[in-house]
Amino acid sequence: MKDRVVKTMKTMLLLLILLRVVSGRRTQLLKGLPATSTVEENAAAGVSVYTFNVTLSPLSSEGVAILPTIVNSNPLTEAFDIESKGDLEYRVVTTGNPVLDYETMPKSFDLQIFVEDTTGRTDLSILTVQVTDKNERPVFRGNMAFQTVMIYVLEGTPQGPIYQVDAADPENAKLKYSLLPAPVPFLVSESGAIFSTKEFDYEKDPHCYFLNITVTDPDGLNLTKTVNINIININDERPYFTIKQRIYRIPEEQSPGTIVANITAKDPDDEDSPSRLFYSIQSSDRYFSINPSTGVLQVTGRINRDALPLWLHPNISVIVRVEDSPSGGHVSEMEITIIIDDINDNPPECHPSTFRKEANENTTAGTFLLDLRNYCKDTDADPSNNQFHFTGLSGFGSNNFALESTVSGRLVMTEGIDLENPANLGVEVYSLTVRVQDIACPNYSNIIYIYIRIKPVNEFFPVFSNLSYEFNVPEITKVGSSIGRVNARDKDWPPSVITYSIVAGGGTRDYTNIFWISPTKGDVKILARLDYETTQKHILTVRASDQEKTATASVTVNVLEVNDEEPVCSPNFYSFQIPVSLAVGTNINGFRIECHDRDSDPRSFRYFINEGNVNNHFTFSPSAGSNTSRLILASRFNYESGLDTNWIYRLRVYITDDNLLSARDKATHLIKTGTVTLSIRVIPNPTTVIPTTPGFTLVTKRKNLYSESAWYVPFVITLGSLLLLALLGYLGFLLATWVRTRCPPAGKVDGTHLRNAPGKKKPKKEVVVTMTKLNTVFDGEARDPVTGKMYEFNTRSGARRWKKSCEPLQLVPAAQVTSSASTDGGQGTDRADAPRKKEPSEKRKEPMAETKPAAKPWAGQSETPEQEGLRLQKPKEESEDRGLSSPAPQGRYLPPLPFSQP
């Protein structure tokens, strides 16, 4: 990467110089150039090629601005550079990178040399460098160019060529080969081939030859390399054994690796060096093996004289083979005999050699445990060697046991063992050893291991560390927390495994037991949340058991009171409207909240509005020290100046139970907070607020703690819900049947069909629509603060409508209209439905829209409002008999104002 950067910089410098040459003032500054010079190939770095001077103008007193530089060469090369000799004299030298080679590189180079003085004058001249040829030494090629060549020749190989020397002359001249020393059985030909002049015998001739091969060019330049020729021996003789002994004697039961004999042999082919022979056993033998390299015969398997087949034939024959090659060589064989001598080598043996017995603690003295002779024997054939006896009863606790006699081998207890006795150190298992030994020499013996386990007897009851336990637990302790530990022990050894359980107490109305005890550790934990307000104390009965004997203890759990109940207020949600002109200090709509807390004093409540109280218009009085508080208007609304912009306030009230706590106690005590949400809509004057029924939502939070013992609760609830749904469905079916039987069809009145109904058509049911238009007098006007439009309102009822600019205030008569569905295609129904279908589009188009004209009376008759009122007062049956339709009411449609109650 670095070389690439340097080359790039050089290229940019050369381009800048060429631009200066083209655009600058050119003057003859290089004295002695252009010129032609020569240099020999292979010239070392720093060889001078040509010398020239730089001539400066008298005006250039400061010297040369850009030293003479080779800006280009043809062909490109970095083999030349310019050095300063002093006094404006410079020379072109070789760099040695690359080294000039006449045979492989161009024969001539044109170097462009550039110079510039301080006045800006430049000069560019060419120096032609011609490379001259030089006679070079010949060179070896191939392996001989880098190392000494090793040539291997087998003995008995016929004479002839054994190696070809490869050499070349840089000038392609013909080369001459020679060989030294002369009195060797080799020669070299004019082409460089090395020949052997005899057939070599490894046993008679030298094993190695060093030849100096010299190659010379016509001018006498030469080069010498060494060739090493090695004569390789071949196997042509048969090996022979050099030992004379053929019979050997060893005792039985020799350990593996015991040397029986050292078999030696010789190979005539290796007279001057150790023979490289290979030994093996030809006969199938499991007792002996021979080292294939050294010929050492040694024991590899157990040799038992007292077992077949050696008990009948104690002689073993082995055939040993020697060969001078692992495969396909010359071979010789020899038979040797090995006699096995008998010895007393079998110790008495017991099967099994390890015994395990059990005895209860406090077993009486003299109790028989084990007869060893029934399990032991000696396998020697000679009766004098198979007699044995028992000795050496030892081991920890052996004083508690004894052998009746050394011959019988009967083991008995000498005294009872109590595991709880400190003298026994709580030992459960006694490890004993008994030696069974040959009477005859060399007195071989074996060890018998006896393990006697004393079975403990459960003699003692568990005992608690305390007769009763008392734990104080805050009621907010997390479910699953450990609240204390009970501990019980008994005096039995080894210590009994004691398990703990709760056998009584700890139950509540919702849970059979809210406590759990660890069966192994005795840790008491809670399974459900404790509640001081419900139960202040729990008394448990805990049992400790060692699987046979039990003990009980009393555990009292005192529940400590903690402030964990949130204040609950009623109502916790309220929505109402107030006029914008409401006086400051007014109890808004008489609203007050009443709070209670199961674990706090009524005076501990504190009230504050946390969210939604923009410009602090609202407050509570009293703000603390009471369980009831009223909502007060704290400041007037100011919409005219733009200070207030919200018409709807959603207040989030926080009620805390920390009023009676000091500032220091508030940082450490647990404080609970209740919330109340209020929605207040401000109605601008002079609109009268329509009284609404106060409403609130009671939110009850319950936490369901599931108990595995109450699995039946969801089942019973689900089953009861299904039965209730089935009962309601059945009652609905009975009601529908009763209605169908009690009410006649809508198409008949006293059994008579409608007059206009066709004879075969089913009578249609009448749809009676009653529309009432109130006689409302709009006696006031106001401007809507949101849209800026004028609207009219009634000061008594609060009704309002948008006002048209050209319409004066007027009274609208009240009317009641009844429209019946006609039997001629249902035209009356369509007309009555039409205004309702158009309401959404009309609201978007114009807030003051009028309905369509009333439909014409049936049969072309018209009715006055007085007649219409009289007709509406008649019974419904009369209207159905006459089949008359009512004209649609006339009036205006008022869309709801933007600030109307949602």
Side-chain angles (χ1 to χ4, degrees):
M1 183 67 184
K2 185 176 180 181
D3 295 341
R4 293 175 61 185
V5 172
V6 172
K7 290 182 178 179
T8 303
M9 294 179 65
K10 287 184 177 180
T11 304
M12 295 177 64
L13 179 61
L14 294 177
L15 291 175
L16 291 175
I17 292 174
L18 291 176
L19 290 175
R20 294 293 301 274
V21 171
V22 174
S23 60
R25 296 175 297 168
R26 185 171 179 183
T27 309
Q28 184 69 31
L29 299 178
L30 297 173
K31 186 178 180 181
L33 293 177
T36 300
S37 180
T38 60
V39 62
E40 285 188 348
E41 66 172 327
N42 299 328
V47 174
S48 178
V49 177
Y50 185 74
T51 301
F52 62 92
N53 295 322
V54 175
T55 301
L56 296 178
S57 171
L59 298 177
S60 302
S61 59
E62 296 182 0
V64 179
I66 298 179
L67 297 177
T69 305
I70 300 175
V71 298
N72 193 14
S73 65
N74 185 24
L76 291 175
T77 183
E78 295 182 358
F80 303 98
D81 197 5
I82 297 177
E83 293 181 352
S84 175
K85 295 180 65 177
D87 296 335
L88 301 178
E89 185 177 4
Y90 301 90
R91 64 174 183 173
V92 179
V93 296
T94 58
T95 63
N97 183 25
V99 177
L100 298 174
D101 187 10
Y102 182 83
E103 287 76 20
T104 60
M105 295 177 63
K107 307 298 189 293
S108 176
F109 296 92
D110 294 333
L111 308 181
Q112 296 182 1
I113 300 175
F114 173 81
V115 68
E116 181 180 359
D117 61 8
T118 57
T119 62
R121 296 188 307 161
T122 61
D123 192 8
L124 180 66
S125 296
I126 296 176
L127 173 63
T128 300
V129 180
Q130 296 179 350
V131 181
T132 60
D133 189 16
K134 178 182 178 181
N135 188 21
E136 301 172 84
R137 292 176 180 272
V139 294
F140 286 97
R141 295 187 295 189
N143 292 336
M144 292 189 66
F146 308 103
Q147 61 186 3
T148 300
V149 176
M150 304 288 291
I151 302 175
Y152 298 92
V153 180
L154 296 178
E155 67 169 320
T157 301
Q159 57 183 353
I162 60 174
Y163 188 75
Q164 175 64 49
V165 178
D166 187 8
D169 184 71
E171 289 78 28
N172 295 325
K174 186 176 182 181
L175 302 177
K176 179 181 179 182
Y177 297 90
S178 59
L179 181 148
L180 291 176
V184 292
F186 301 97
L187 58 84
V188 60
S189 64
E190 294 182 356
S191 62
I194 300 176
F195 290 85
S196 62
T197 58
K198 62 174 293 186
E199 183 177 330
F200 295 95
D201 186 354
Y202 185 84
E203 288 74 23
K204 298 178 181 180
D205 296 327
H207 300 164
C208 182
Y209 296 91
F210 290 91
L211 307 180
N212 294 324
I213 307 299
T214 303
V215 57
T216 307
D217 67 359
D219 293 337
L221 295 179
N222 59 69
L223 186 63
T224 302
K225 288 285 185 179
T226 301
V227 175
N228 186 6
I229 300 177
N230 297 281
I231 306 302
I232 305 302
N233 187 21
I234 63 175
N235 185 18
D236 56 355
E237 298 291 339
R238 184 174 181 176
Y240 59 90
F241 291 97
T242 57
I243 63 170
K244 305 300 181 182
Q245 185 178 354
R246 297 292 187 269
I247 298 175
Y248 298 87
R249 182 182 296 271
I250 62 171
E252 65 170 329
E253 299 294 348
Q254 294 298 308
S255 60
T258 301
I259 297 177
V260 179
N262 189 8
I263 309 300
T264 58
K266 194 73 174 177
D267 188 354
D269 290 326
D270 300 323
E271 292 295 338
D272 297 335
S273 61
S275 299
R276 293 177 293 176
L277 302 177
F278 302 92
Y279 300 89
S280 61
I281 295 177
Q282 292 303 110
S283 60
S284 176
D285 190 271
R286 61 178 179 175
Y287 303 110
F288 306 100
S289 66
I290 192 168
N291 190 305
S293 301
T294 62
V296 175
L297 184 67
Q298 57 189 7
V299 177
T300 57
R302 182 187 176 192
I303 304 175
N304 189 2
R305 172 66 177 78
D306 303 313
L308 293 174
L310 296 180
W311 188 77
L312 297 176
H313 303 284
N315 299 335
I316 301 175
S317 297
V318 178
I319 297 176
V320 179
R321 170 181 290 186
V322 62
E323 51 188 333
D324 57 7
S325 176
S327 60
H330 300 281
V331 177
S332 294
E333 292 182 351
M334 178 182 67
E335 181 179 3
I336 62 175
T337 301
I338 302 172
I339 301 174
I340 307 301
D341 293 329
D342 186 24
I343 62 173
N344 181 18
D345 59 340
N346 292 317
E349 296 180 353
C350 298
H351 299 284
S353 61
T354 301
F355 298 88
R356 290 177 171 83
K357 292 292 181 179
E358 290 185 350
N360 292 332
E361 67 172 317
N362 299 325
T363 301
T364 59
T367 302
F368 168 75
L369 297 178
L370 180 64
D371 189 351
L372 297 175
R373 181 163 287 275
N374 294 335
Y375 303 95
C376 302
K377 65 178 180 178
D378 192 328
T379 58
D380 284 326
D382 192 342
S384 61
N385 294 330
N386 61 15
Q387 299 298 317
F388 58 89
H389 60 273
F390 301 94
T391 61
L393 175 63
S394 61
F396 182 76
S398 59
N399 57 328
N400 297 313
F401 309 91
L403 293 171
E404 288 185 348
S405 67
T406 60
V407 178
S408 66
R410 288 173 56 87
L411 182 67
V412 296
M413 291 189 67
T414 58
E415 61 181 36
I417 299 175
D418 185 7
L419 294 179
E420 289 77 30
N421 189 349
N424 293 323
L425 300 178
V427 177
E428 295 184 55
V429 179
Y430 290 87
S431 300
L432 308 177
T433 59
V434 176
R435 182 180 297 275
V436 54
Q437 186 174 4
D438 260 340
I439 297 177
C441 290
N443 305 116
Y444 285 113
S445 64
N446 270 326
I447 300 297
I448 302 173
Y449 299 93
I450 304 173
Y451 299 96
I452 300 177
R453 180 180 178 271
I454 305 301
K455 296 173 60 178
V457 177
N458 191 357
E459 303 173 88
F460 301 96
F461 283 85
V463 177
F464 281 94
S465 59
N466 298 321
L467 294 178
S468 63
Y469 297 85
E470 185 173 359
F471 304 136
N472 296 323
V473 185
E475 63 175 325
I476 61 172
T477 302
K478 292 184 178 179
V479 174
S481 300
S482 176
I483 62 174
R485 172 179 290 187
V486 299
N487 185 29
R489 297 179 181 274
D490 66 8
K491 297 181 181 179
D492 286 315
W493 186 267
S496 301
V497 177
I498 297 178
T499 58
Y500 303 91
S501 60
I502 299 174
V503 296
T508 64
R509 183 179 60 183
D510 298 328
Y511 300 96
T512 304
N513 200 334
I514 63 175
F515 298 96
W516 175 85
I517 188 169
S518 172
T520 57
K521 298 181 179 179
D523 288 331
V524 180
K525 298 184 178 181
I526 58 175
L527 299 179
R529 183 179 177 184
L530 303 176
D531 189 5
Y532 176 84
E533 289 72 26
T534 303
T535 306
Q536 289 80 32
K537 180 181 294 186
H538 300 271
I539 299 178
L540 316 177
T541 300
V542 177
R543 180 171 59 194
S545 172
D546 61 1
Q547 314 307 320
E548 294 183 10
K549 296 178 173 59
T550 62
T552 59
S554 174
V555 177
T556 301
V557 181
N558 296 319
V559 181
L560 303 181
E561 182 179 12
V562 179
N563 183 20
D564 62 335
E565 298 286 344
E566 295 181 356
V568 178
C569 300
S570 176
N572 69 342
F573 176 81
Y574 200 81
S575 177
F576 47 84
Q577 299 176 352
I578 63 174
V580 70
S581 60
L582 188 66
V584 174
T586 302
N587 179 197
I588 299 176
N589 280 23
F591 174 79
R592 73 170 187 170
I593 56 176
E594 182 175 354
C595 303
H596 64 277
D597 192 336
R598 296 175 61 188
D599 56 9
S600 298
D601 189 272
R603 297 172 300 166
S604 63
F605 296 123
R606 188 165 56 91
Y607 308 86
F608 60 93
I609 301 174
N610 187 60
E611 298 177 9
N613 193 9
V614 181
N615 294 332
N616 298 319
H617 287 301
F618 306 97
T619 186
F620 276 89
S621 176
S623 61
S626 175
N627 66 332
T628 61
S629 183
R630 297 174 302 161
L631 180 63
I632 303 298
L633 183 65
S635 62
R636 294 183 58 84
F637 298 103
N638 190 352
Y639 292 99
E640 291 77 4
S641 64
L643 179 63
D644 289 324
T645 58
N646 293 338
W647 292 91
I648 298 176
Y649 292 85
R650 301 188 185 276
L651 308 182
R652 189 170 183 86
V653 184
Y654 282 2
I655 302 93
T656 60
D657 54 7
D658 60 348
N659 184 52
L660 300 180
L661 298 177
S662 62
R664 183 176 61 181
D665 292 340
K666 289 182 180 180
T668 58
H669 280 62
L670 185 63
I671 300 173
K672 291 295 183 176
T673 303
T675 60
V676 172
T677 302
L678 302 179
S679 178
I680 302 175
R681 179 186 298 273
V682 180
I683 304 301
N685 284 329
T687 302
T688 301
V689 179
I690 299 175
T692 58
T693 301
F696 62 91
T697 302
L698 180 61
V699 179
T700 303
K701 296 183 180 179
R702 296 180 63 90
K703 181 180 291 184
N704 182 23
L705 298 177
Y706 177 72
S707 175
E708 294 182 356
S709 62
W711 59 269
Y712 57 87
V713 174
F715 173 76
V716 172
I717 293 175
T718 303
L719 181 60
S721 300
L722 294 176
L723 293 176
L724 180 60
L725 290 175
L727 179 60
L728 292 177
Y730 180 69
L731 292 177
F733 173 75
L734 294 179
L735 179 62
T737 305
W738 181 82
V739 171
R740 190 181 308 139
T741 56
R742 299 285 296 184
C743 298
K748 294 182 179 181
V749 179
D750 296 332
T752 305
H753 290 283
L754 296 176
R755 290 178 299 173
N756 295 334
K760 295 184 179 180
K761 290 186 178 180
K762 294 182 179 180
K764 294 186 178 180
K765 296 182 180 180
E766 288 189 349
V767 179
V768 179
V769 180
T770 301
M771 300 182 63
T772 302
K773 194 161 189 179
L774 300 178
N775 185 12
T776 302
V777 177
F778 298 97
D779 54 356
E781 294 183 356
R783 182 179 301 276
D784 179 40
V786 178
T787 61
K789 296 181 179 181
M790 296 298 295
Y791 64 91
E792 300 173 348
F793 61 90
N794 184 281
T795 56
R796 293 184 179 181
S797 64
R800 51 192 179 274
R801 68 175 183 179
W802 295 115
K803 178 183 178 183
K804 289 186 177 181
S805 59
C806 61
E807 183 180 359
L809 293 176
Q810 58 181 348
L811 297 178
V812 179
Q816 291 184 345
V817 180
T818 301
S819 176
S820 300
S822 64
T823 58
D824 56 351
Q827 295 177 0
T829 303
D830 295 339
R831 290 171 184 149
D833 292 338
R836 290 195 296 269
K837 295 180 180 178
K838 293 185 62 180
E839 284 180 4
S841 61
E842 289 174 351
K843 290 180 182 179
R844 288 192 298 266
K845 293 180 181 179
E846 184 179 6
M848 192 65 150
E850 295 184 356
T851 58
K852 292 183 178 181
K856 293 180 179 181
W858 179 69
Q861 297 180 1
S862 62
E863 294 183 358
T864 64
E866 292 79 4
Q867 294 175 344
E868 184 178 346
L870 292 175
R871 184 175 57 83
L872 291 175
Q873 294 175 3
K874 294 181 180 181
K876 182 178 179 181
E877 292 80 1
E878 182 180 352
S879 177
E880 291 176 353
D881 293 338
R882 293 171 60 187
L884 299 177
S885 60
S886 301
Q890 295 183 358
R892 298 181 183 273
Y893 167 73
L894 295 180
L897 295 181
F899 52 83
S900 61
Q901 184 175 357

